Amino acid sequence: MDLILLGAPGAGKGTQGALLAERLGIPKIATGDILRDAVRRGTELGRQAKRYMDAGELVPDEVILGLVRDALREAERGAIFDGFPRNVSQAESLRSILEELGRRIDAVVSIDVPSEKIVRRMTGRRTDPETGLVYHLEHNPPPAEVRDRLVQRDDDREETVRHRLEVYRTTTEPLVAFYRESGVPLYAVDGDRAIDQVQGEILELLERNTPVGS
Ligand code: AMP
């Protein structure tokens, strides 16, 4: 199954995608994670991408498509796309790449959260550089012993978050209409709820339309 998670930055695509990947036994392809890993490792790709990411802008399509093609080599039974596609051109490219593999997008799930809640979620987000675990100062407070080493993603600062939301509204949100017009099964879920409730609803929607695990 090939599934796209749509939703503004901070809507919970990463969290839901990881749970779904485990449940469905297929990898998650998260372009933001791949880019952050390249930045951490100081590769040429990381150096190129960092200035776009820090500014809350999209990294050029050619770079992203190269990453996705590579990642798909390890995803023969399908993938969960998180943070990709981000614009109509990327969506069209994904359609052709999957077509070459004899596949197509089976479903698109849009995780919806109001903008102001997103700003609060993202500016409170902190990562533990040693374990990679993500906490939230209010909603998922870190244990005292890791608190001092937590870091904030450069692009989770308020000004950048607001800009990323604007980029989402103008550039990524049109994908909802794109997939609706393409006839791809499209579901909207309320992402402003507990993680397991959101996960439960997504699984239910998918199960109703495709046997989970197929
Ligand atoms: P994310 O973790 O998905 O919010 O991505 C973090 C940043 O990585 C974004 O703000 C972009 O700068 C870049 N990025 C991630 N995915 C894409 C994509 N599909 N197209 C362009 N830029 C991306």
Side-chain angles (χ1 to χ4, degrees):
M1 146 174 276
D2 285 287
L3 171 72
I4 293 175
L5 294 180
L6 274 185
K13 301 186 298 296
T15 304
Q16 295 300 332
L19 292 170
L20 281 174
E22 201 177 285
R23 172 73 186 239
L24 304 176
I26 52 178
K28 174 171 83 123
I29 298 182
T31 42
D33 287 351
I34 299 172
L35 292 171
R36 273 185 293 280
D37 186 54
V39 170
R40 239 184 332 263
R41 289 187 290 117
T43 63
E44 179 52 32
L45 164 69
R47 271 195 297 277
Q48 277 180 26
K50 188 173 184 334
R51 60 195 169 101
Y52 294 99
M53 296 169 78
D54 286 351
E57 299 289 346
L58 295 187
V59 171
D61 289 351
E62 317 80 76
V63 176
I64 299 291
L65 290 171
L67 299 179
V68 171
R69 278 185 191 278
D70 281 351
L72 273 171
R73 279 188 241 285
E74 315 280 314
E76 282 154 11
R77 294 184 43 244
I80 293 161
F81 296 94
D82 156 11
F84 173 86
R86 262 321 212 264
N87 58 33
V88 170
S89 161
Q90 290 183 8
E92 284 168 343
S93 301
L94 176 61
R95 185 160 57 193
S96 333
I97 294 171
L98 288 178
E99 242 166 46
E100 284 166 26
L101 298 170
R103 283 154 52 179
R104 63 184 161 70
I105 292 298
D106 296 293
V108 176
V109 175
S110 173
I111 305 178
D112 300 336
V113 178
S115 294
E116 278 317 306
K117 295 249 167 104
I118 295 236
V119 172
R120 253 187 283 153
R121 275 190 187 189
M122 292 176 84
T123 52
R125 188 153 74 170
R126 296 291 184 279
T127 309
D128 181 343
E130 282 185 25
T131 60
L133 291 177
V134 181
Y135 297 97
H136 190 282
L137 297 179
E138 269 173 66
H139 310 306
N140 177 21
E145 62 274 18
V146 306
R147 199 175 288 262
D148 288 345
R149 65 172 188 239
L150 299 183
V151 293
Q152 184 177 37
R153 268 171 58 172
D154 288 336
D155 57 354
D156 276 351
R157 297 179 203 287
E158 181 162 349
E159 231 183 76
T160 316
V161 167
R162 292 199 183 274
H163 183 61
R164 290 169 70 196
L165 284 172
E166 188 55 32
V167 171
Y168 180 77
R169 301 282 169 240
T170 55
T171 311
T172 309
E173 215 165 55
L175 289 180
V176 172
F178 173 87
Y179 283 114
R180 186 176 298 122
E181 283 155 22
S182 310
V184 176
L186 172 71
Y187 311 105
V189 300
D190 173 5
D192 190 16
R193 291 177 298 165
I195 291 171
D196 55 346
Q197 279 180 306
V198 178
Q199 179 72 188
E201 186 180 348
I202 296 176
L203 285 170
E204 216 175 277
L205 286 167
L206 296 177
E207 255 160 41
R208 215 179 297 151
N209 295 280
T210 344
V212 165
S214 72

